[in-house]
């Protein structure tokens, strides 16, 4: 009689997620004693959420988890660990400031089955690579060594069941192979059971007795070990491009890598990192497509393709495409077109087999950690890390935080949205490399608003960002965390982005200096976009001198950004100390006494204008009615443009030469299946953009761009008479953060009510500088100075003269 299978872990009907956002939907799975079960799926499908819920870090909203026949659904993670359940989280899960020895010591528990010394010695026998590294800080290890340390830390608790979350993420192939060998050896010596979630098909196929396929929080398929060697079965469940791979070739068909999605890179990146991540080669030996007619024309004769890594459409998919395109065709016609497309498909096969060409990453770093409330009282941080740049340079000693739209290789990025959570870029943005080359230290990523669609600071998926001057009030958005961290002195400088005021609004609300440079002056390459013609990135600092210094480092062409058209750069620090004598400043009439204006804000900014007069500037009022028209043009450009570029274009779009990040595009595309998670401020923008794109064919977008040229010309005419225009950055003080259960109307009002003065200069691209000029009711007020194209020098001259004239807090 066959021996009865004993289950180590049984999961039945498990549902859960993050707060009110459901992720898991009725998961059923079981792992027998001594069995290794893999869970394969894309980013965002719920793999990490599944393990966190099984371990108890996230609550189950339905269903049960039984471990060794004991219901553990409602007990704490610590209690589950005491029963023998071990967990290795995604992103290493080590203490970078502690030595390897102390990392292991702090992982020992009284249920570990021996003394601390005995257990550590046993673990080091299993991980000999760690023994010579015992006195090295965890943050100084390579990514692979950190992952081995994370696994060793887990074993300090003497578990008999391991939950492994993406252990190969960002790891070099040689270390992945070592890790696989280690796990296979441990399985034999310790008789582990393992539940392993991965995207790396080679790794998961090598280790697993069977593989579950997870899609959108549901188990949609299962492959036995025998079926893993059956290419047809694998394709049936996974398709081409469903998983990443480790090896360039393999004798086993099941382990053949697939083209398409590459892994987010979250490990330590060595200074000699290659410029582009190698894409998997083609699958060997697939010749199942019957090509009987001539292929579509191609540019040149290419060698025939026998390795078809790009999945071909079937007849049903061809029917769907024809219907969407408004075509009426018979199945015979569709089949003929399908055959004619084969030549094009082969071009994609060859493209898929090539390594990508991405910028090199030159400085080592660790993934960092997510700070808890004690480190993050305003919720301004997303992740803390430390990336040290060159030993010397103009930014030596400066600690800089990045808005969480800026790619920092190996460090998580979510752009304020649960959709992007789990994404880790594999490149550094151009501006990151420039700052590191200049000697800066990057200390982390700051929270921003949900896909940057808010001038308030209440839309981030991790909660609102609080004003440093008054808790419970808006910090301003969308670069909310950047301004807060500068204002609190936790960093010296910050990078922020701006599509409708997102540098200047939080700078005004938090009492710091924020420069939106001329459009294209600072390269946007490697920064998550909204719409190319309004995208800007620039510095936020506590003083004018630091702002000018940072812009000197950031500015200039990089050859990768289509927003740049021969930008003119200067030594901005040379503007410091020149004073305001002789400057011509126009007080823009239409920037004051607006319907949303508050009288104390107008009064403080007008008082600042008088101070300029006292400093020797020529100050007078000027009227420009087009300022009120500009917001209408910006609305059409932004709402239709973001829907086309950021949403349907998966944060990249087409029709330009420049830097593309396919891994970001893959992750962003998940919004289509998770649109309920989008913020109301983005949803309303999408509704408007989609309606006018579909019903009016984009004509208003085009007309708005045409009229914006006229508006820009009018600003330029006035700026030939004046060196700069002056107005309130934000016509109102920071408002209260709305409660979590507020109405949709209030949520959206708080997102967009303050952009009347800032958004016009995203459409025109003119530089605009927010300078703090006073306090009212305990909240800062900002004055905005606007110059001509590449006129940042004059703005810094005026801003520095004003700053030196007195303490703005007492003005």
């Amino acid at each position: 009689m066959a021996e009865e299978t004993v289950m180590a872990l049984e999961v039945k009907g498990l549902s859960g997620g993050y707060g009110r956002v459901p992720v898991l939907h009725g998961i059923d799975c079981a792992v027998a004693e001594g069995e290794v079960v893999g869970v394969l799926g894309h980013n965002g499908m719920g793999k990490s959420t599944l393990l966190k819920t099984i371990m108890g870090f996230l609550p189950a909203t339905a269903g049960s988890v039984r471990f060794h026949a004991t219901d553990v659904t409602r007990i704490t993670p610590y209690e589950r660990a005491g029963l023998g359940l071990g967990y290795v989280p995604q992103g290493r899960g080590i203490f970078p400031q502690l030595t390897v020895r102390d990392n292991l010591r702090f992982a020992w528990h009284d249920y570990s089955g021996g003394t601390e010394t005995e257990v550590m010695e046993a673990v080091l026998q299993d991980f000999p690579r760690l023994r010579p590294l015992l006195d090295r800080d965890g943050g100084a290890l390579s990514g692979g060594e950190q992952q081995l340390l994370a696994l060793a830390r887990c074993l300090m608790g003497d578990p008999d069941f391991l939950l492994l979350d993406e252990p190969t993420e960002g790891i070099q192939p040689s270390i992945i192979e070592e890790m696989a060998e280690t796990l296979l050896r441990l399985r034999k010596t310790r008789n582990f059971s393992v539940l392993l979630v991965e995207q790396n098909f080679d790794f998961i196929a090598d280790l697993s007795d069977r593989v579950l396929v997870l899609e959108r929080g549901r188990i949609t398929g299962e492959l036995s070990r025998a079926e893993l060697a059956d290419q047809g079965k694998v394709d049936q469940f996974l398709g081409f491009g469903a998983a990443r791979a480790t090896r360039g070739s393999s004798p086993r068909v099941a382990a053949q890598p697939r083209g398409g999605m590459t892994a987010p890179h979250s490990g330590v990146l060595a200074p000699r990192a290659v410029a582009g991540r190698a894409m998997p080669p083609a699958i060997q030996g697939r010749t199942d497509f019957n090509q009987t007619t001539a292929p579509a024309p191609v540019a040149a004769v290419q060698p025939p393709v026998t390795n078809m890594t790009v999945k071909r459409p079937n007849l049903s998919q061809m029917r769907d495409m024809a219907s969407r395109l408004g075509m009426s065709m018979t199945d015979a016609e569709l089949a003929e077109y399908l055959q004619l497309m084969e030549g094009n498909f082969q071009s994609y096969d060859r493209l898929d087999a090539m390594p990508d060409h991405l910028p090199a990453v030159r400085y080592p770093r660790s993934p960092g950690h997510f700070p808890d409330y004690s480190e993050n009282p305003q919720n301004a941080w997303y992740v803390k890390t430390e990336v040290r740049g060159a030993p010397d340079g103009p930014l030596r000693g400066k600690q800089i935080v990045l808005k969480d739209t800026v790619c920092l290789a190996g460090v998580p990025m979510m752009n304020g949205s649960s959709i992007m959570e789990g994404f880790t870029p594999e490149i550094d943005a151009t501006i990151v490399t420039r700052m590191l080359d200049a000697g800066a230290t990057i200390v982390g990523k700051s929270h921003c608003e949900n896909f940057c669609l808010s001038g308030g600071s209440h839309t981030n998926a991790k909660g609102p960002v609080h004003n440093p001057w008054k808790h419970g009030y808006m910090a301003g958005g969308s670069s909310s965390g950047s301004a807060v961290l500068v204002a609190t002195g936790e960093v010296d400088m910050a990078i922020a982005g701006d599509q409708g005021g997102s540098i200047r609004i939080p700078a005004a609300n938090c009492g710091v200096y924020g420069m939106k440079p001329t459009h294209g002056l600072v390269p946007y390459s490697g920064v998550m976009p909204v719409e190319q013609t309004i995208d800007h990135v620039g510095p936020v600092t506590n003083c004018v001198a630091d702002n000018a210094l940072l812009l000197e480092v950031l500015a200039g062409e990089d050859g990768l950004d289509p927003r740049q058209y021969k930008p003119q750069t200067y030594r901005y620090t040379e503007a410091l100390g020149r004073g305001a004598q002789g400057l011509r400043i126009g007080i823009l009439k239409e920037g004051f006494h607006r319907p949303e204006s508050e009288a104390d804000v107008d009064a403080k900014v007008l008082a600042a204008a008088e101070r300029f007069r006292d400093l020797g500037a020529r100050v007078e009022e000027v009227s420009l009615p087009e300022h009120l028209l500009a917001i209408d043009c910006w609305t059409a450009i932004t709402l239709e443009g973001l829907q086309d570029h950021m949403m349907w274009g998966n944060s990249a779009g087409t029709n330009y030469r420049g830097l593309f990040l396919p891994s970001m595009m893959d992750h962003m595309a998940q919004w289509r299946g998770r649109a309920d998670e989008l913020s109301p401020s983005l949803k309303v923008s999408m509704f408007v953009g989609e309606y006018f794109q579909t019903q009016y064919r984009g004509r208003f977008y085009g007309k708005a761009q045409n009229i914006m040229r006229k508006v820009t010309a009018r600003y330029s005419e006035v700026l030939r008479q004046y060196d700069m225009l002056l107005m309130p950055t934000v016509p109102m003080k920071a408002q209260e953060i709305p409660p979590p259960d507020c109405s949709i109307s209030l949520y959206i009002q708080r997102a967009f009510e303050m952009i009347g003065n800032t958004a016009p200069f995203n459409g025109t691209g003119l530089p605009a500088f927010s300078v703090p000029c006073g306090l009212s009711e305990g909240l800062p007020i900002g004055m905005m100075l606007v110059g001509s194209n590449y006129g940042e020098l004059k703005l810094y001259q005026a801003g520095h003269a004003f700053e030196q004239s007195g303490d703005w807090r007492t003005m």
Side-chain angles (χ1 to χ4, degrees):
M1 184 172 179
E3 185 177 341
E4 184 178 354
T5 302
V6 178
M7 289 298 166
L9 180 73
E10 296 173 275
V11 176
K12 293 185 178 180
L14 189 66
S15 297
Y18 298 87
R20 290 181 289 178
V21 179
V23 178
L24 306 178
H25 308 282
I27 297 287
D28 290 315
C29 64
V31 182
E33 289 189 358
E35 185 183 27
V36 177
V37 174
V39 180
L40 189 65
H42 284 308
N43 275 329
M45 294 295 105
K47 305 187 303 298
S48 295
T49 305
L50 174 60
L51 294 196
K52 289 177 182 177
T53 307
I54 291 173
M55 194 64 202
F57 291 114
L58 292 174
T61 57
S64 64
V65 179
R66 296 181 68 83
F67 183 56
H68 293 312
T70 299
D71 190 337
V72 299
T73 313
R74 304 301 171 197
I75 69 175
T76 66
Y78 179 82
E79 292 172 304
R80 300 185 202 203
L83 294 174
L85 197 57
Y87 173 60
V88 180
Q90 184 181 24
R92 313 295 184 262
I94 67 166
F95 295 99
Q97 294 85 8
L98 298 182
T99 64
V100 171
R101 187 190 310 278
D102 286 341
N103 264 280
L104 294 174
R105 288 183 57 236
F106 283 118
W108 179 86
H109 297 278
D110 53 9
Y111 53 71
S112 295
T115 67
E116 178 185 300
T117 302
E118 291 169 345
V119 174
M120 187 185 299
E121 180 58 33
V123 168
L124 289 173
Q125 288 178 13
D126 289 324
F127 294 88
R129 178 188 281 263
L130 296 179
R131 193 179 294 276
L133 305 174
L134 284 172
D135 295 318
R136 185 176 299 181
D137 287 348
L141 303 181
S142 71
E145 289 166 344
Q146 288 186 359
Q147 188 63 68
L148 291 173
L149 176 57
L151 183 56
R153 279 175 46 79
C154 180
L155 296 193
M156 288 293 293
D158 194 29
D160 57 45
F161 195 109
L162 293 183
L163 301 171
L164 299 182
D165 192 350
E166 299 268 18
T168 72
E169 187 180 43
I171 305 300
Q172 295 178 355
S174 62
I175 300 292
I176 293 175
E177 292 174 6
E178 179 180 341
M179 191 180 303
E181 292 168 0
T182 300
L183 288 169
L184 289 170
R185 184 178 66 254
L186 290 171
R187 181 185 182 186
K188 291 179 181 178
T189 59
R190 299 198 181 206
N191 195 32
F192 280 140
S193 303
V194 180
L195 184 61
L196 163 70
V197 305
E198 258 297 344
Q199 292 182 69
N200 188 318
F201 184 77
D202 288 343
F203 186 79
I204 207 168
D206 281 345
L207 292 177
S208 303
D209 298 305
R210 55 193 173 94
V211 172
L212 307 177
V213 180
L214 186 66
E215 293 185 286
R216 296 179 183 173
R218 294 178 172 84
I219 302 294
T220 59
E222 180 176 331
L223 292 165
S224 68
R225 187 147 189 89
E227 289 171 327
L228 289 171
D230 182 340
Q231 190 66 63
K233 281 284 187 182
V234 171
D235 291 346
Q236 177 184 344
F237 284 110
L238 306 183
F240 294 94
R244 57 184 166 93
T246 302
R247 297 185 290 273
S249 61
S250 171
R252 191 181 64 200
V253 176
Q256 291 297 326
R258 315 204 183 288
M261 185 171 142
T262 54
H265 201 311
S266 66
V268 170
L269 298 172
R272 296 186 300 277
V274 296
R277 178 192 299 277
M279 293 287 288
I283 295 175
Q284 302 297 318
R286 284 191 60 83
T287 56
D288 53 334
F289 190 91
N290 182 23
Q291 181 184 341
T292 59
T293 58
V298 292
V301 176
Q302 296 284 359
V305 170
T306 57
N307 306 318
M308 299 179 183
T309 64
V310 176
K311 191 172 184 179
R312 274 57 170 166
N314 57 34
L315 194 58
S316 175
Q317 291 170 315
M318 291 292 290
R319 292 192 199 104
D320 289 343
M321 284 191 285
S323 176
R324 290 198 304 271
L325 294 170
M327 301 174 184
S328 299
M329 291 188 184
T330 66
D331 284 356
E333 289 173 319
L334 290 171
E336 185 172 357
Y337 274 105
L338 186 57
Q339 291 176 337
L340 289 166
M341 291 156 59
E342 174 58 17
N344 303 112
F345 287 140
Q346 292 192 14
S347 291
Y348 278 84
D349 288 327
R350 286 185 287 270
L351 181 63
D352 190 39
M354 299 175 192
D356 206 342
H357 180 56
L358 298 175
V361 176
R362 300 207 293 267
Y363 297 90
R365 77 282 313 271
S366 66
H369 71 282
F370 301 112
D372 60 23
Y373 179 80
S374 65
E375 296 181 86
N376 197 17
Q378 282 88 23
N379 194 35
W381 290 99
Y382 173 45
V383 62
K384 287 186 174 183
T385 186
E386 184 177 80
V387 187
R388 292 184 178 274
D392 203 1
L395 297 181
R396 179 183 178 185
K398 298 294 186 181
Q399 294 192 326
I400 301 179
V401 70
L402 309 175
K403 181 179 183 177
D404 192 36
T405 55
V406 181
C407 286
L408 182 62
V411 177
M413 171 175 157
M414 65 177 284
N415 195 1
S417 171
S418 59
I419 303 293
M420 289 302 294
E421 191 171 10
F423 171 65
T424 303
E426 64 265 48
I427 65 165
D428 285 340
T430 295
I431 56 174
V432 170
T433 302
R434 287 182 177 177
M435 289 186 290
L436 292 172
D437 286 345
T441 298
I442 306 296
V443 294
K445 309 288 287 294
S446 59
H447 270 317
C448 64
E449 297 312 294
N450 204 307
F451 283 123
C452 299
L453 261 292
S454 176
S457 62
H458 59 300
T459 69
N460 187 287
K462 297 290 188 181
V465 179
H466 293 266
N467 192 296
W469 291 81
K470 208 170 193 178
H471 202 79
Y473 281 72
M474 297 286 195
S478 63
S479 309
S480 41
S482 289
V484 169
L485 294 172
V486 170
T488 59
E490 294 178 66
V491 299
D492 300 308
M493 302 170 165
I495 294 297
D498 197 314
Q499 282 81 21
S502 296
I503 293 173
R504 295 157 288 157
I505 295 168
N509 281 3
C510 294
V512 293
Y513 297 83
M515 173 67 83
K516 182 201 78 65
T518 303
H519 187 251
L521 176 62
V522 177
Y524 206 85
S525 311
V527 183
M528 198 164 180
V530 173
E531 202 276 347
Q532 281 193 14
T533 67
I534 62 169
D535 289 332
H536 299 71
V537 64
V540 173
T541 60
N542 250 323
C543 64
V544 177
D546 276 355
N547 207 283
L549 175 64
L550 184 51
L551 187 62
E552 279 186 3
V553 171
L554 300 176
E557 279 188 283
D558 73 345
L560 299 172
D561 184 6
R563 300 165 187 81
Q564 295 192 289
Y565 21 89
K566 302 189 184 309
Q568 302 168 26
T569 61
Y570 300 93
R571 294 282 301 223
Y572 303 107
T573 52
E574 292 180 356
L576 308 177
R578 291 183 178 178
Q581 184 70 39
L583 287 177
R584 301 166 299 165
I585 299 176
I587 300 173
L588 185 64
K589 177 183 177 181
E590 286 75 14
F592 295 82
H593 311 301
R594 303 171 59 91
E596 71 272 24
S597 293
E598 294 177 347
D600 54 347
V601 173
D602 281 350
K604 287 286 186 183
V605 177
L606 288 171
E610 287 303 310
R611 182 174 287 259
F612 273 120
R613 196 190 308 275
D614 294 341
L615 293 172
R618 192 187 91 196
V619 181
E620 56 193 39
E621 185 178 79
V622 61
S623 178
L624 186 64
E626 287 81 0
H627 182 68
L628 302 178
L629 171 63
I631 191 69
D632 296 330
C633 297
W634 175 89
T635 296
I637 291 167
T638 300
L639 302 189
E640 293 189 51
L642 77 85
Q643 184 68 353
D644 186 51
H645 187 77
M646 183 172 79
M647 303 311 295
W648 293 125
N650 301 323
S651 80
T654 57
N655 291 304
Y656 64 93
R657 294 186 179 96
L659 176 63
F660 289 78
L661 192 56
S663 60
M664 181 188 290
M665 297 162 69
D666 284 337
H667 205 103
M668 180 62 187
Q670 296 176 38
W671 75 265
R672 291 164 175 78
R674 300 168 59 187
D676 287 344
E677 298 174 42
L678 301 173
S679 69
S681 53
L682 178 53
K683 287 175 181 174
V684 72
S685 302
M686 291 173 66
F687 278 134
V688 175
E690 183 73 3
Y691 177 77
F692 280 94
Q693 280 280 304
T694 55
Q695 295 299 313
Y696 290 92
R697 304 160 298 282
R699 71 184 307 274
F700 285 109
Y701 175 91
K703 187 173 184 179
Q705 289 283 16
N706 289 338
I707 294 174
M708 189 62 90
R709 290 200 315 275
K710 177 182 177 182
V711 172
T712 303
R714 284 289 295 123
Y715 280 118
S716 297
E717 286 176 21
V718 172
L719 286 166
R720 282 193 283 271
Q721 304 170 42
Y722 299 95
D723 295 310
M724 64 199 68
L725 301 175
L726 179 152
M727 69 202 80
T729 307
V730 181
M732 61 190 70
K733 299 181 296 299
Q735 303 294 297
E736 283 192 77
I737 294 172
D741 59 351
C742 74
S743 67
I744 295 174
S745 297
L746 179 59
Y747 185 105
I748 292 170
Q749 176 188 337
R750 289 286 179 263
F752 299 121
E753 63 189 342
M754 73 297 287
I755 64 173
N757 277 347
T758 54
F761 302 107
N762 293 88
T764 64
L766 297 173
F769 189 28
S770 183
V771 175
C773 66
L775 286 169
S776 181
E777 299 177 8
L779 290 165
I781 292 170
M783 160 182 64
M784 186 164 65
L785 304 175
V786 178
S788 57
N789 273 326
Y790 308 113
E792 286 81 3
L793 267 173
K794 290 287 187 183
L795 301 185
Y796 282 132
Q797 178 183 346
H800 189 252
F802 184 86
E803 178 188 36
Q804 297 301 304
S805 71
D807 186 346
W808 66 267
R809 299 165 186 83
T810 61
M811 291 180 183

